Amino acid sequence: MAFETAGMLKAEIHCHIEGAAPPELSLRQAQKYGVDIGTILRDGQYVWSDFAEFIICYDAVASLFRTQADYALLTETYLSELASINTIYSEIIVSPDHGDRIGLGADAYIAGICDGIFAAKEKTGIEARIIVTGERHFGVDRVVGAAEYAKRAKNPLVTGFNMAGEERMGRVADYARAFDIARDAGLGLTIHAGEVCGAFSVADALDIIQPSRIGHGVRAIEDEGLVERLAETGTVLEVCPGSNIALDVYPDFQAHPLRRLKDAGVRVTISSDDPPFFGTSLSREYRIAAEEMGFDRQEIDTMTRTSLEAAFVDETTRSALLERFDAYVQTSAKADVKDA
Ligand SMILES: Nc1ncnc2[nH]cnc12
Ligand SMILES: [Zn+2]
């Protein structure tokens, strides 16, 4: 490998806030609330063995964050870590249902996350936005409720709507109303599809939701026509390779379809999903793209730029981010010429 990814400017558009909780922080939270987490955290690692168990473990970790200040700390901790590896933009996926489930309420939950975003921005300059998500396994009514909440919130940091959780529960059409509400509210739309379920799930998402982005979407590779459709529509895939390997969607990085999707003209990006759950981090994802998947510096920069182009932000913020990113690309290209 002729280049280091550590110094590259980065952006991430797919990371779940509770999924970013460092195990040490979860342990401290468990001690604070007197909760025994021996079944979900062992030897500094979250414990799960398949997708269904991962979701259970995720929800248990989420239940350890119980106040506005807990969420502010979690958010600031994650964004500061991202900033320290040269990340200029982050979208975090949040579920008001988690706020409701621990009795905090959606408003205080979102307020804590906003506090963390403001604190991290002040300290590091990192720009961040919030994507409200409905958790599919909590049922249609809760997903619709999450969309209604996102619409009602009228919070300038809440810029997108997503659906995560157990992809095998129901079909996309069952949840269409939630996306109609979010679309009417002017929110950017993305949906987890083609991760646990196959290409049909991505096709459903395109047919029914027509989102500008899809979370994962990698199993579209199983249908050549669908890959062409993704390329034609310019739908952006939020690809999380480390997550896909950890969850056994693919056996290894060589079998992962990121390269094939990119070569087929699909607009792809790189994110970390739930980094400590999957033994990864955004810096590792960039390293893997270079070292395991054979992408060169320009290709990785293109994926980062695609994240910024597809970000759910106002156009002034997007222009500022792109200007900063393009200046970095030009400077690094000049440095490459000098080194050659
Ligand atoms: N990878 C993933 N897929 C679906 N739902 C999730 N929630 C958190 N991580 C997720
Ligand atoms: Zn996800």
Side-chain angles (χ1 to χ4, degrees), residues 14 16 93 192 216 273-274:
H14 188 127
H16 301 257
I93 302 170
H192 283 63
H216 301 282
D273 207 10
D274 304 281

mmCIF file of all heavy atoms in Angstrom, residues 14 16 93 192 216 273-274, ligand 2:
data_model
loop_
_atom_site.group_PDB
_atom_site.id
_atom_site.type_symbol
_atom_site.label_atom_id
_atom_site.label_comp_id
_atom_site.label_asym_id
_atom_site.label_seq_id
_atom_site.Cartn_x
_atom_site.Cartn_y
_atom_site.Cartn_z
ATOM 1 N N HIS A 14 -23.493 6.881 8.408
ATOM 2 C CA HIS A 14 -24.275 5.759 8.942
ATOM 3 C C HIS A 14 -23.613 5.229 10.219
ATOM 4 O O HIS A 14 -22.723 4.367 10.158
ATOM 5 C CB HIS A 14 -24.390 4.645 7.899
ATOM 6 C CG HIS A 14 -25.326 3.538 8.286
ATOM 7 N ND1 HIS A 14 -26.361 3.107 7.480
ATOM 8 C CD2 HIS A 14 -25.398 2.774 9.393
ATOM 9 C CE1 HIS A 14 -27.017 2.138 8.070
ATOM 10 N NE2 HIS A 14 -26.441 1.900 9.246
ATOM 11 N N HIS A 16 -25.056 4.339 14.354
ATOM 12 C CA HIS A 16 -26.129 4.373 15.366
ATOM 13 C C HIS A 16 -25.523 4.838 16.684
ATOM 14 O O HIS A 16 -24.497 4.297 17.120
ATOM 15 C CB HIS A 16 -26.719 2.981 15.551
ATOM 16 C CG HIS A 16 -27.290 2.408 14.293
ATOM 17 N ND1 HIS A 16 -28.640 2.355 14.048
ATOM 18 C CD2 HIS A 16 -26.688 1.885 13.191
ATOM 19 C CE1 HIS A 16 -28.859 1.806 12.854
ATOM 20 N NE2 HIS A 16 -27.678 1.511 12.320
ATOM 21 N N ILE A 93 -27.499 8.087 13.756
ATOM 22 C CA ILE A 93 -28.839 7.509 13.689
ATOM 23 C C ILE A 93 -29.337 7.344 15.119
ATOM 24 O O ILE A 93 -28.665 6.719 15.949
ATOM 25 C CB ILE A 93 -28.794 6.143 12.968
ATOM 26 C CG1 ILE A 93 -28.215 6.307 11.559
ATOM 27 C CG2 ILE A 93 -30.183 5.512 12.925
ATOM 28 C CD1 ILE A 93 -27.898 4.992 10.849
ATOM 29 N N HIS A 192 -32.647 0.984 6.063
ATOM 30 C CA HIS A 192 -31.828 -0.235 6.086
ATOM 31 C C HIS A 192 -32.492 -1.282 5.189
ATOM 32 O O HIS A 192 -33.651 -1.650 5.412
ATOM 33 C CB HIS A 192 -31.733 -0.807 7.503
ATOM 34 C CG HIS A 192 -30.791 -0.079 8.405
ATOM 35 N ND1 HIS A 192 -30.962 1.217 8.776
ATOM 36 C CD2 HIS A 192 -29.649 -0.492 9.012
ATOM 37 C CE1 HIS A 192 -29.974 1.585 9.569
ATOM 38 N NE2 HIS A 192 -29.156 0.572 9.736
ATOM 39 N N HIS A 216 -26.723 0.126 3.971
ATOM 40 C CA HIS A 216 -26.144 -1.136 3.488
ATOM 41 C C HIS A 216 -26.479 -1.320 1.997
ATOM 42 O O HIS A 216 -25.748 -0.878 1.157
ATOM 43 C CB HIS A 216 -26.576 -2.347 4.326
ATOM 44 C CG HIS A 216 -26.197 -2.205 5.766
ATOM 45 N ND1 HIS A 216 -24.922 -2.428 6.199
ATOM 46 C CD2 HIS A 216 -26.904 -1.832 6.862
ATOM 47 C CE1 HIS A 216 -24.856 -2.207 7.512
ATOM 48 N NE2 HIS A 216 -26.049 -1.837 7.934
ATOM 49 N N ASP A 273 -21.301 1.913 11.199
ATOM 50 C CA ASP A 273 -22.526 1.277 11.699
ATOM 51 C C ASP A 273 -22.628 1.260 13.226
ATOM 52 O O ASP A 273 -23.319 2.097 13.799
ATOM 53 C CB ASP A 273 -22.663 -0.138 11.114
ATOM 54 C CG ASP A 273 -24.101 -0.606 11.012
ATOM 55 O OD1 ASP A 273 -25.006 0.209 11.217
ATOM 56 O OD2 ASP A 273 -24.319 -1.803 10.702
ATOM 57 N N ASP A 274 -21.978 0.301 13.875
ATOM 58 C CA ASP A 274 -22.007 0.171 15.347
ATOM 59 C C ASP A 274 -20.598 -0.241 15.770
ATOM 60 O O ASP A 274 -20.371 -1.401 16.165
ATOM 61 C CB ASP A 274 -22.998 -0.927 15.767
ATOM 62 C CG ASP A 274 -24.388 -0.679 15.220
ATOM 63 O OD1 ASP A 274 -25.119 0.151 15.785
ATOM 64 O OD2 ASP A 274 -24.739 -1.309 14.195
HETATM 65 ZN ZN ZN B 2 -27.198 0.535 10.600
#
